[in-house]
Amino acid sequence: MSDKPRYMRRLTHAEAELWTIVTANVRPFHARSPAQNEAPPAPVVAESLREAGQKPAPVAHLDRPPAPRPPAPLVEIDHRTRVKIKRGRLDVDARLDLHGMRQDEAQRALTGFLRRAQADGAKVAIVVTGKGLSREEGGVLRRVVPMWLQAPHLRDVVVGFGEAARHHGGEGALYVQIRRAERMRRR
């Protein structure tokens, strides 16, 4: 096989003009030289202290523990998992019904429920929020529970969530995938 392309067409005048406009502000990328990659030289004070037999004070950023890893991003429950739940091949391990609760008590109940479910080894839970009185806007809990599930204090518990199947509550319920407790302890 040859390395030459089989067919090369010339750019039209309009394509050539467009290409000129697009590439007008492009600048070549220059890799750093080895001198730029080296660490800055040690301060003169440290050398003079070493000569005098004294140890320089440790650098503050070396003494700090490494920053904690950011929490894993939430993902929506994938189609395959949703189908497994819907068909009964993946069990729903826990269920919480928030009907009739005020926001503050619903939030406390949700947090406690998810932490207990995680401790019990649950993989999938259903949280029933209800559809609300007005169909267009939906209920308050239906709007705020997804925000609560995304909160930083629940990232170590919640992997992701998505709308439940019709027989589990449909628009008025959410499937919540729960992170395994052992996984969080290993980090």
Side-chain angles (χ1 to χ4, degrees):
M1 283 194 126
S2 70
D3 292 331
K4 286 198 268 180
R6 286 190 263 163
Y7 173 74
M8 285 194 52
R9 74 172 180 85
R10 294 191 177 268
L11 297 177
T12 65
H13 182 69
E15 291 171 333
E17 281 183 18
L18 180 61
W19 183 250
T20 305
I21 293 168
V22 168
T23 59
N25 294 328
V26 175
R27 305 228 187 294
F29 174 76
H30 296 289
R32 289 184 169 185
S33 66
Q36 290 175 328
N37 290 336
E38 292 176 9
V44 178
V45 175
E47 288 178 23
S48 62
L49 285 174
R50 267 191 234 116
E51 290 171 3
Q54 299 175 351
K55 290 185 179 179
V59 180
H61 72 276
L62 295 178
D63 292 337
R64 276 187 256 148
R69 289 181 15 184
L74 287 177
V75 294
E76 186 165 334
I77 292 182
D78 59 292
H79 178 71
R80 177 190 265 164
T81 305
R82 190 184 311 257
V83 169
K84 284 181 182 179
I85 296 168
K86 183 177 178 179
R87 293 183 180 166
R89 286 188 277 146
L90 183 61
D91 291 331
V92 174
D93 303 312
R95 181 182 176 94
L96 174 67
D97 192 344
L98 300 174
H99 277 106
M101 292 188 188
R102 295 182 183 271
Q103 283 188 56
D104 58 338
E105 61 185 323
Q107 188 172 17
R108 283 193 305 274
L110 178 68
T111 302
F113 164 76
L114 290 173
R115 296 220 180 264
R116 281 189 306 278
Q118 182 186 41
D120 293 343
K123 293 179 183 177
V124 178
I126 292 182
V127 176
V128 179
T129 61
K131 295 179 184 177
L133 297 176
S134 98
R135 297 288 288 205
E136 295 83 38
E137 294 178 23
V140 173
L141 293 179
R142 182 175 163 201
R143 288 193 311 262
V144 297
V145 167
M147 290 187 282
W148 294 343
L149 292 172
Q150 295 175 27
H153 72 278
L154 286 178
R155 285 285 177 88
D156 62 329
V157 179
V158 177
V159 173
F161 62 92
E163 188 176 300
R166 177 178 278 163
H167 69 277
H168 281 138
E171 296 172 1
L174 297 168
Y175 292 135
V176 180
Q177 264 185 309
I178 299 174
R179 196 175 307 278
R180 289 187 314 190
E182 310 85 54
R183 186 176 207 179
M184 291 311 296
R185 281 189 228 130
R186 277 190 252 157
R187 278 190 175 176

